[in-house]
Amino acid sequence: AHAGELLRVSVAGDEVEGFVVARLRPWRAAELVAVGVAPHARGRGLGARLVRTAERWVAAAGEARLELTVQDGARAAVALYE
């Protein structure tokens, strides 16, 4: 990741459980690019923790807003971000 990009990966043992990608954008709000949680790691709050990681990173960079786009029908994603 570049200085204006965040990539965090959550690993337990030798398995990737999830990840978050965010980026700073000049003259615009920061963007939450992607959050992913492996099926075996769902239901334990990992997605919410990854989003909070991105929020803290954005705030530390001096940005006040973090935007995202959710695809139609992505109910689990909408529930995570609400």
Side-chain angles (χ1 to χ4, degrees):
H2 300 282
E5 297 175 347
L6 168 76
L7 169 61
R8 289 290 183 271
V9 178
S10 176
V11 177
D14 61 351
E15 291 190 32
V16 172
E17 292 194 325
F19 68 92
V20 63
V21 179
R23 68 178 171 179
L24 302 176
R25 300 183 295 183
W27 307 288
R28 296 179 62 189
E31 178 182 23
L32 184 61
V33 177
V35 177
V37 178
H40 71 273
R42 293 181 184 156
R44 300 186 319 215
L46 177 59
R49 289 192 304 276
L50 289 166
V51 171
R52 283 194 302 273
T53 296
E55 289 171 337
R56 286 191 301 270
W57 176 77
V58 166
E63 294 294 327
R65 292 184 43 208
L66 178 62
E67 295 180 342
L68 66 125
T69 302
V70 178
Q71 295 177 345
D72 287 339
R75 291 186 188 114
V78 171
L80 173 64
Y81 305 128
E82 289 185 318

